[in-house]
């Protein structure tokens, strides 16, 4: 059974394994995540060899149905982040 792993848990683990403080590790991880969001926001493709690729794609407009009212609604085009696993990640899973 899988469990939810929160950012705080990752920060604690990385801090312990790198012999850094939790505060320093938290700032580095938060800056890293902020940079990822910033680059994706500019429409850039992020490639981490072995890990995977993040890219922004635009989903087309489509018709959907409201499950509560069964009414048909139009979902406008919108951007989503697509992730494609790298070879090392695929092999580790």
């Amino acid at each position: 059974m899988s469990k939810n792993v929160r950012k705080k848990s990752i920060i604690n683990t990385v801090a312990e394994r790198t012999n850094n403080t939790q505060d320093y590790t938290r700032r580095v991880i938060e800056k890293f995540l902020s940079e990822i969001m910033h680059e994706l926001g500019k429409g850039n493709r992020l490639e981490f060899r072995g890990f995977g690729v993040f890219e922004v794609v635009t989903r087309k407009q489509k018709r959907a149905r409201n499950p509560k009212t069964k009414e048909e609604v139009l979902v406008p085009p919108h951007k989503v982040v697509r992730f494609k696993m790298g070879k090392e990640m695929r092999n580790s899973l």
Side-chain angles (χ1 to χ4, degrees), residues 62-77:
K62 68 177 183 176
R63 294 187 188 281
R65 193 165 301 277
N66 181 331
K68 204 173 207 176
T69 64
K70 308 294 186 216
E71 178 185 352
E72 194 172 86
V73 294
L74 198 59
V75 178

Side-chain angles (χ1 to χ4, degrees), residues 11-36:
I11 289 168
N12 293 342
T13 302
V14 171
E16 188 177 301
R17 290 184 182 175
T18 60
N19 294 320
N20 284 304
T21 65
Q22 288 180 7
D23 184 54
Y24 173 78
T25 305
R26 179 187 51 78
R27 284 184 282 135
V28 169
I29 289 174
E30 286 179 355
K31 184 62 177 169
F32 177 72
L33 295 174
S34 175
E35 284 301 311
I36 287 174

